[in-house]
Amino acid sequence: MKRKIVILGSTGSIGRQTLEVIKEHPDEFEIIGLSCRENIELLKEQIIKFKPNISVVANEFLAKKLKNELNNFNKTKIFWGVEGLIRISTLEEVDVVVVAITGIASLLPTLEAVKHGKEIAIASKESIVAAGDILVREAKANKATILPIDSEHSAILQCLKNERKENIEKIILTASGGPLYHLADSALKNISVEDALNHPTWKMGKKITIDSATLMNKGLEVIEARWLFDISPKKIEILIHPQSYIHSMIQFVDGTILAQLSEHDMRIPIQYALFYPDKVVNNYNRLDFTKIGQLTFKRPRFNKFPCIKLAYKALEIGGTMPAVLNGANEIAVNAFLNNQINITEIPIIIENTMKNHIPKLNPNLEDIFDADYWARKTTLLLCENKA
Ligand code: MG
């Protein structure tokens, strides 16, 4: 029987690549729902091609526009807003929900899907950062599975196969270092938005590319790993590996290390999440070691890229602090993309927001959203004062 799938964020980079993978396996999957925020032109094409029962857009205006543009013969129902996202994520017939929405916007639909016992293939690390504890707890209670699409976490999942967790000495999360790693400190603050968006090894959305440039992406991934694999942050280490062929590694208590390597192709972790725990045939590019020549490694420079330290700090403090880190980061990245602040101010502003927050421990969902809202408001003010 075909597995029934919903993709939240089908017009983004991960959403489009998920549809590519699904297109190659027409006998395995059926698309039940698709969603986008505003790119209704592309969503329209996807609806015509994949014939979902339901689609969701950001608001009523876009929903009506899309309905008009689709001809009368198209039976796809169009809903909007977060209620729409929750509706498609919790449909009785749906087996798998792919979460590929950037930012905290994915949290509510993801949590509702988890509560309905769905299998979640998640690319949106922000929800796990803000509310990892709640998501993991609810997943356990409702027998929902949360599978990572993030390449590092997919690598860890693959290396962990058949291994007992007690045998892990540490997780080694690799990081390319992003487009700015080689720069002198003095050159960093004059970096343009364009330079920061020019990632050396991965082509991704804007938010995650800036997060890669500040190394906040790696910090968020430490928090993501902490929750997905229930492992102490002390056992999670970051290693700079500029070629990005090793997607991450696990070092075991006997000193052996397992690594997962492949080409830079997000369709590989997407396929792994969709077919988990199986590996299926594909014709994507294979790694050619003789062409690569060598793999190199460096220790991360925490002082030059303080976002990593802030992420470890937020995790150590716990409670609502990771949600504040995440909310502050989303706003600061936006301010940089709008030329309001320079890139070196991102961690300074996030740190100031964190310093002003009184964390609430063992937060419920409302506390998380309150902290997120507070962090955004506070960070917006800090960014405006800088501009
Ligand atoms: Mg990643």
Side-chain angles (χ1 to χ4, degrees):
M1 213 165 78
K2 287 186 186 181
R3 302 189 78 206
K4 297 187 164 59
I5 294 205
V6 159
I7 304 175
L8 307 184
S10 63
T11 59
S13 167
I14 296 291
R16 292 194 309 265
Q17 294 180 79
T18 304
L19 286 173
E20 272 181 51
V21 172
I22 287 172
K23 209 170 63 191
E24 286 162 30
H25 302 277
D27 299 332
E28 309 274 352
F29 300 105
E30 181 184 346
I31 298 286
I32 299 293
L34 296 174
S35 94
C36 80
R37 199 171 47 185
E38 289 171 340
N39 189 355
I40 59 171
E41 285 310 309
L42 180 55
L43 185 63
K44 190 175 109 187
E45 283 173 32
Q46 293 177 342
I47 290 173
I48 291 167
K49 202 184 248 169
F50 292 96
K51 303 182 181 61
N53 304 345
I54 300 189
S55 291
V56 178
V57 294
N59 55 51
E60 190 177 2
F61 172 76
L62 289 173
K64 283 189 174 151
K65 193 166 174 223
L66 178 59
K67 193 73 202 162
N68 280 339
E69 285 182 21
L70 287 162
N71 67 45
N72 291 331
F73 299 106
N74 194 297
K75 291 195 174 73
T76 304
K77 293 193 188 94
I78 315 281
F79 294 100
W80 61 88
V82 76
E83 293 82 6
L85 293 177
I86 291 172
R87 190 167 188 156
I88 52 170
S89 309
T90 57
L91 288 170
E92 176 81 37
E93 68 262 37
V94 168
D95 303 301
V96 184
V97 179
V98 176
V99 183
I101 301 176
T102 306
I104 193 87
S106 63
L107 179 52
L108 267 184
T110 305
L111 184 61
E112 287 304 315
V114 161
K115 284 181 179 168
H116 282 74
K118 306 297 184 194
E119 186 172 306
I120 316 288
I122 191 162
S124 168
K125 61 193 76 176
E126 291 91 346
S127 320
I128 306 176
V129 168
D133 194 12
I134 297 176
L135 281 173
V136 168
R137 216 182 320 129
E138 288 290 342
K140 218 175 244 174
N142 294 288
K143 297 193 170 57
T145 319
I146 303 179
L147 297 166
I149 286 180
D150 208 345
S151 59
E152 293 79 358
H153 305 76
S154 177
I156 295 163
L157 189 66
Q158 292 173 60
C159 295
L160 256 182
K161 220 173 181 181
N162 304 324
E163 297 283 354
R164 291 213 315 272
K165 219 176 58 200
E166 307 84 83
N167 293 345
I168 301 176
E169 193 166 87
K170 65 181 174 187
I171 285 178
I172 303 170
L173 271 183
T174 51
S176 70
L180 312 179
Y181 199 77
H182 60 284
L183 291 180
D185 293 17
S186 54
L188 251 188
K189 73 174 197 298
N190 298 319
I191 280 301
S192 68
V193 170
E194 204 180 22
D195 291 335
L197 285 175
N198 188 17
H199 195 278
T201 49
W202 293 100
K203 284 273 152 280
M204 308 175 286
K206 279 185 184 176
K207 155 81 170 44
I208 186 169
T209 306
I210 301 302
D211 283 346
S212 298
T214 62
L215 264 72
M216 179 58 98
N217 184 51
K218 215 43 61 179
L220 299 179
E221 286 180 356
V222 168
I223 304 179
E224 190 184 0
R226 187 262 169 270
W227 293 117
L228 286 178
F229 304 107
D230 186 22
I231 190 156
S232 158
K234 290 192 180 69
K235 290 186 172 182
I236 307 173
E237 195 178 285
I238 296 170
L239 180 67
I240 302 293
H241 165 44
Q243 297 85 10
S244 302
Y245 288 119
I246 298 178
H247 298 298
S248 275
M249 305 184 250
I250 297 181
Q251 182 169 313
F252 294 95
V253 288
D254 62 353
T256 55
I257 295 172
L258 285 182
Q260 185 263 343
L261 292 83
S262 66
E263 274 289 351
H264 313 128
D265 187 338
M266 284 308 291
R267 291 176 303 176
I268 297 170
I270 291 168
Q271 181 182 297
Y272 189 68
L274 293 181
F275 284 95
Y276 177 83
D278 290 333
K279 301 231 184 220
V280 295
V281 177
N282 64 33
N283 59 4
Y284 308 153
N285 287 344
R286 271 35 179 170
L287 266 192
D288 181 342
F289 284 107
T290 58
K291 273 192 190 145
I292 295 168
Q294 57 179 348
L295 300 174
T296 58
F297 307 95
K298 288 175 210 157
R299 214 186 292 277
R301 293 146 75 190
F302 290 124
N303 288 334
K304 186 172 165 188
F305 296 96
C307 284
I308 307 180
K309 278 198 284 194
L310 295 176
Y312 275 104
K313 186 87 191 160
L315 203 44
E316 190 191 321
I317 295 168
T320 46
M321 197 55 97
V324 166
L325 170 91
N326 179 67
N329 181 54
E330 283 190 35
I331 296 297
V333 168
N334 241 332
F336 169 67
L337 287 171
N338 295 330
N339 294 306
Q340 258 183 301
I341 60 172
N342 71 46
I343 201 159
T344 49
E345 284 169 329
I346 293 177
I348 299 170
I349 286 172
I350 297 169
E351 188 173 18
N352 282 335
T353 303
M354 286 171 67
K355 273 183 185 158
N356 284 312
H357 180 62
I358 301 161
K360 186 160 181 188
L361 297 180
N362 303 313
N364 59 28
L365 195 64
E366 208 184 321
D367 299 326
I368 299 279
F369 278 116
D370 285 350
D372 174 70
Y373 178 75
W374 174 89
R376 281 163 202 273
K377 213 175 56 182
T378 307
T379 311
L380 263 179
L381 279 174
L382 290 171
C383 291
E384 273 163 21
N385 290 340
K386 283 272 166 193

mmCIF file of all heavy atoms in Angstrom, residues 49 105 117 149 165 192 199 205 239 241 243-244 274 302 313 332 342 359 362:
data_model
loop_
_atom_site.group_PDB
_atom_site.id
_atom_site.type_symbol
_atom_site.label_atom_id
_atom_site.label_comp_id
_atom_site.label_asym_id
_atom_site.label_seq_id
_atom_site.Cartn_x
_atom_site.Cartn_y
_atom_site.Cartn_z
ATOM 1 N N LYS A 49 0.569 18.695 -10.862
ATOM 2 C CA LYS A 49 1.393 17.501 -11.081
ATOM 3 C C LYS A 49 1.089 16.380 -10.073
ATOM 4 O O LYS A 49 0.974 15.223 -10.436
ATOM 5 C CB LYS A 49 2.860 17.911 -10.965
ATOM 6 C CG LYS A 49 3.803 16.960 -11.677
ATOM 7 C CD LYS A 49 5.243 17.378 -11.438
ATOM 8 C CE LYS A 49 5.903 17.888 -12.689
ATOM 9 N NZ LYS A 49 7.188 18.531 -12.404
ATOM 10 N N ALA A 105 7.384 28.752 12.922
ATOM 11 C CA ALA A 105 6.050 28.544 12.349
ATOM 12 C C ALA A 105 5.700 27.068 12.237
ATOM 13 O O ALA A 105 4.531 26.698 12.168
ATOM 14 C CB ALA A 105 5.970 29.192 10.967
ATOM 15 N N GLY A 117 0.238 10.757 16.360
ATOM 16 C CA GLY A 117 1.024 9.538 16.116
ATOM 17 C C GLY A 117 1.607 9.391 14.729
ATOM 18 O O GLY A 117 1.925 8.283 14.292
ATOM 19 N N ILE A 149 15.819 15.160 8.826
ATOM 20 C CA ILE A 149 16.248 15.333 7.431
ATOM 21 C C ILE A 149 17.581 16.073 7.407
ATOM 22 O O ILE A 149 18.371 15.920 6.489
ATOM 23 C CB ILE A 149 15.159 16.085 6.618
ATOM 24 C CG1 ILE A 149 13.987 15.133 6.356
ATOM 25 C CG2 ILE A 149 15.719 16.622 5.309
ATOM 26 C CD1 ILE A 149 12.849 15.748 5.562
ATOM 27 N N LYS A 165 22.941 2.960 22.895
ATOM 28 C CA LYS A 165 23.292 4.356 23.187
ATOM 29 C C LYS A 165 24.376 4.473 24.256
ATOM 30 O O LYS A 165 25.195 5.388 24.224
ATOM 31 C CB LYS A 165 22.037 5.118 23.614
ATOM 32 C CG LYS A 165 22.026 6.513 23.052
ATOM 33 C CD LYS A 165 20.772 7.261 23.371
ATOM 34 C CE LYS A 165 20.576 7.347 24.865
ATOM 35 N NZ LYS A 165 19.187 7.639 25.230
ATOM 36 N N SER A 192 29.078 41.606 3.109
ATOM 37 C CA SER A 192 27.766 41.967 2.564
ATOM 38 C C SER A 192 26.822 40.771 2.664
ATOM 39 O O SER A 192 27.250 39.633 2.852
ATOM 40 C CB SER A 192 27.904 42.362 1.096
ATOM 41 O OG SER A 192 28.247 41.218 0.341
ATOM 42 N N HIS A 199 27.286 30.190 0.056
ATOM 43 C CA HIS A 199 27.803 29.033 0.804
ATOM 44 C C HIS A 199 28.691 28.156 -0.084
ATOM 45 O O HIS A 199 28.367 27.907 -1.236
ATOM 46 C CB HIS A 199 26.635 28.206 1.361
ATOM 47 C CG HIS A 199 27.050 27.227 2.410
ATOM 48 N ND1 HIS A 199 27.580 26.003 2.102
ATOM 49 C CD2 HIS A 199 27.045 27.305 3.764
ATOM 50 C CE1 HIS A 199 27.865 25.363 3.227
ATOM 51 N NE2 HIS A 199 27.549 26.140 4.243
ATOM 52 N N GLY A 205 18.154 27.579 1.627
ATOM 53 C CA GLY A 205 17.377 28.799 1.823
ATOM 54 C C GLY A 205 18.219 29.880 2.505
ATOM 55 O O GLY A 205 19.297 29.610 3.028
ATOM 56 N N LEU A 239 33.269 19.801 14.867
ATOM 57 C CA LEU A 239 34.547 19.707 14.159
ATOM 58 C C LEU A 239 34.389 20.382 12.790
ATOM 59 O O LEU A 239 33.446 20.080 12.055
ATOM 60 C CB LEU A 239 34.898 18.221 13.974
ATOM 61 C CG LEU A 239 36.205 17.890 13.263
ATOM 62 C CD1 LEU A 239 37.405 18.333 14.103
ATOM 63 C CD2 LEU A 239 36.285 16.379 12.994
ATOM 64 N N HIS A 241 35.039 20.771 9.086
ATOM 65 C CA HIS A 241 35.455 19.869 8.005
ATOM 66 C C HIS A 241 35.009 20.535 6.700
ATOM 67 O O HIS A 241 33.869 20.357 6.258
ATOM 68 C CB HIS A 241 34.777 18.496 8.235
ATOM 69 C CG HIS A 241 34.812 17.592 7.057
ATOM 70 N ND1 HIS A 241 35.937 17.408 6.285
ATOM 71 C CD2 HIS A 241 33.865 16.777 6.504
ATOM 72 C CE1 HIS A 241 35.663 16.550 5.322
ATOM 73 N NE2 HIS A 241 34.416 16.164 5.431
ATOM 74 N N GLN A 243 35.313 20.291 3.528
ATOM 75 C CA GLN A 243 34.807 19.620 2.319
ATOM 76 C C GLN A 243 33.383 19.078 2.505
ATOM 77 O O GLN A 243 32.710 18.739 1.523
ATOM 78 C CB GLN A 243 35.737 18.453 1.929
ATOM 79 C CG GLN A 243 37.155 18.871 1.567
ATOM 80 C CD GLN A 243 38.053 19.010 2.812
ATOM 81 O OE1 GLN A 243 37.666 18.618 3.916
ATOM 82 N NE2 GLN A 243 39.231 19.582 2.625
ATOM 83 N N SER A 244 32.919 18.975 3.749
ATOM 84 C CA SER A 244 31.538 18.531 4.061
ATOM 85 C C SER A 244 31.175 17.174 3.456
ATOM 86 O O SER A 244 30.015 16.947 3.126
ATOM 87 C CB SER A 244 30.494 19.527 3.555
ATOM 88 O OG SER A 244 30.669 20.779 4.088
ATOM 89 N N LEU A 274 12.416 9.108 4.427
ATOM 90 C CA LEU A 274 11.160 8.590 3.856
ATOM 91 C C LEU A 274 11.117 7.065 3.842
ATOM 92 O O LEU A 274 10.053 6.468 3.961
ATOM 93 C CB LEU A 274 10.961 9.123 2.425
ATOM 94 C CG LEU A 274 10.711 10.625 2.278
ATOM 95 C CD1 LEU A 274 10.509 10.992 0.817
ATOM 96 C CD2 LEU A 274 9.495 11.069 3.092
ATOM 97 N N PHE A 302 35.594 29.319 18.576
ATOM 98 C CA PHE A 302 34.411 29.797 19.305
ATOM 99 C C PHE A 302 34.420 31.304 19.509
ATOM 100 O O PHE A 302 33.373 31.929 19.564
ATOM 101 C CB PHE A 302 34.295 29.101 20.663
ATOM 102 C CG PHE A 302 33.933 27.652 20.565
ATOM 103 C CD1 PHE A 302 34.723 26.676 21.129
ATOM 104 C CD2 PHE A 302 32.777 27.262 19.901
ATOM 105 C CE1 PHE A 302 34.384 25.332 21.036
ATOM 106 C CE2 PHE A 302 32.424 25.923 19.789
ATOM 107 C CZ PHE A 302 33.234 24.957 20.356
ATOM 108 N N LYS A 313 25.259 27.569 25.778
ATOM 109 C CA LYS A 313 24.814 28.274 26.982
ATOM 110 C C LYS A 313 23.290 28.128 27.160
ATOM 111 O O LYS A 313 22.811 27.834 28.257
ATOM 112 C CB LYS A 313 25.200 29.769 26.846
ATOM 113 C CG LYS A 313 24.929 30.598 28.073
ATOM 114 C CD LYS A 313 26.100 30.534 29.022
ATOM 115 C CE LYS A 313 25.755 31.124 30.362
ATOM 116 N NZ LYS A 313 26.672 30.679 31.415
ATOM 117 N N ALA A 332 17.369 38.653 14.357
ATOM 118 C CA ALA A 332 18.676 39.252 14.048
ATOM 119 C C ALA A 332 19.117 38.900 12.624
ATOM 120 O O ALA A 332 19.660 39.751 11.903
ATOM 121 C CB ALA A 332 19.719 38.793 15.072
ATOM 122 N N ASN A 342 25.207 44.659 10.954
ATOM 123 C CA ASN A 342 26.207 43.851 10.256
ATOM 124 C C ASN A 342 26.281 42.465 10.898
ATOM 125 O O ASN A 342 25.744 42.232 11.984
ATOM 126 C CB ASN A 342 27.552 44.587 10.143
ATOM 127 C CG ASN A 342 28.261 44.705 11.474
ATOM 128 O OD1 ASN A 342 28.352 43.739 12.219
ATOM 129 N ND2 ASN A 342 28.737 45.906 11.771
ATOM 130 N N PRO A 359 14.655 32.851 32.523
ATOM 131 C CA PRO A 359 14.126 31.603 31.957
ATOM 132 C C PRO A 359 13.131 30.912 32.872
ATOM 133 O O PRO A 359 13.247 30.966 34.094
ATOM 134 C CB PRO A 359 15.379 30.743 31.768
ATOM 135 C CG PRO A 359 16.393 31.295 32.699
ATOM 136 C CD PRO A 359 16.086 32.746 32.873
ATOM 137 N N ASN A 362 11.099 23.843 32.944
ATOM 138 C CA ASN A 362 10.001 22.928 32.605
ATOM 139 C C ASN A 362 8.824 23.661 31.955
ATOM 140 O O ASN A 362 7.690 23.592 32.429
ATOM 141 C CB ASN A 362 9.506 22.182 33.842
ATOM 142 C CG ASN A 362 10.627 21.418 34.496
ATOM 143 O OD1 ASN A 362 11.378 20.713 33.816
ATOM 144 N ND2 ASN A 362 10.787 21.593 35.799
#
